[in-house]
Amino acid sequence: EDQVTQSPEALRLQEGESSSLNCSYTVSGLRGLFWYRQDPGKGPEFLFTLYSAGEEKEKERLKATLTKKESFLHITAPKPEDSATYLCAVQLYNFNKFYFGSGTKLNVKP
Amino acid sequence: DAGVTQSPTHLIKTRGQQVTLRCSPISGHKSVSWYQQVLGQGPQFIFQYYEKEERGRGNFPDRFSARQFPNYSSELNVNALLLGDSALYLCASSSNDRGLAYGYTFGSGTRLTVV
């Protein structure tokens, strides 16, 4: 059964304290893995797409990596404005299948 | 440029009623997808339409239906509402039918409450 699991469910960091969020997946035929950021009461905001194992993408304090079984979102020296729920999603080669994980709620304290 | 717009933003309905939610994609985007997001969970895929044709359907009952119009806007209809249908309904658009490279752009959603 296709499955996407994110951990931890919630993460509290001090400003400047770097950490990583995990997205593990068990799917058949991965076309792409997506990372999104979601603020309360808003729709998800696109961050990255990763296609193959070994691929890395960066944007400001965020860096996403992909292996054959999981993806990491590394947050370097986070700021309070990075507080949000981070969602990962996988798209399968049967492209009408698009699964989201339950998200990691990140809270960065000043 | 306008992003993905959804209407209404909030809605309260009674069990057994029917509801129609509307979505206007980004100009030039031909793909529209619908998602249901229950509080504390990730979005769940309901439908995808591309060039007015249904391209994908998630594991939702037949009470859920959708369509896409010639101007690429879309409607999601839910019949015989249940309390469990209370959720944030998200619409996402993409320039292609796969949402790759630039991902899907989401609207802010319609918050549906069934009482």
Side-chain angles (χ1 to χ4, degrees), chain B residues 12-58:
Chain B
I12 299 175
K13 289 286 190 178
T14 304
R15 277 179 297 174
Q17 285 188 315
Q18 176 264 340
V19 68
T20 298
L21 310 181
R22 295 176 175 82
C23 172
S24 293
I26 289 174
S27 177
H29 282 194
K30 299 179 179 179
S31 171
V32 170
S33 301
W34 287 95
Y35 295 81
Q36 180 195 66
Q37 187 174 25
V38 174
L39 197 62
Q41 296 184 17
Q44 285 206 8
F45 172 71
I46 309 176
F47 286 109
Q48 185 196 24
Y49 278 79
Y50 180 72
E51 289 275 21
K52 302 182 290 292
E53 290 187 2
E54 182 183 304
R55 290 298 190 93
R57 176 185 288 250

Side-chain angles (χ1 to χ4, degrees), chain B residues 43-98:
Chain B
Q44 285 206 8
F45 172 71
I46 309 176
F47 286 109
Q48 185 196 24
Y49 278 79
Y50 180 72
E51 289 275 21
K52 302 182 290 292
E53 290 187 2
E54 182 183 304
R55 290 298 190 93
R57 176 185 288 250
N59 295 326
F60 280 81
D62 292 342
R63 299 185 294 108
F64 289 77
S65 64
R67 55 180 175 168
Q68 187 176 32
F69 298 99
N71 66 353
Y72 303 112
S73 66
S74 178
E75 287 183 350
L76 176 70
N77 294 285
V78 187
N79 293 323
L81 286 166
L82 304 174
L83 294 179
D85 294 330
S86 296
L88 180 68
Y89 288 84
L90 294 163
C91 172
S93 76
S94 173
S95 59
N96 56 62
D97 62 350
R98 300 175 185 181

Side-chain angles (χ1 to χ4, degrees), chain A residues 1-5 23-34 50-51 66-71 88-94 97-101:
Chain A
E1 181 182 336
D2 298 322
Q3 199 165 4
V4 180
T5 304
C23 172
S24 62
Y25 58 92
T26 307
V27 299
S28 49
L30 179 72
R31 179 185 294 277
L33 186 141
F34 299 75
L50 301 166
Y51 297 102
L66 182 66
T67 72
K68 288 186 177 180
K69 293 184 178 181
E70 58 192 348
S71 177
C88 77
V90 297
Q91 187 175 48
L92 308 188
Y93 273 103
N94 180 358
K97 296 211 182 270
F98 197 79
Y99 299 108
F100 276 90

Side-chain angles (χ1 to χ4, degrees), chain A residues 50-69:
Chain A
L50 301 166
Y51 297 102
S52 56
E55 189 174 2
E56 300 182 351
K57 289 197 176 169
E58 289 188 64
K59 179 180 179 180
E60 297 180 355
R61 295 177 293 281
L62 301 176
K63 179 181 177 180
T65 62
L66 182 66
T67 72
K68 288 186 177 180
K69 293 184 178 181

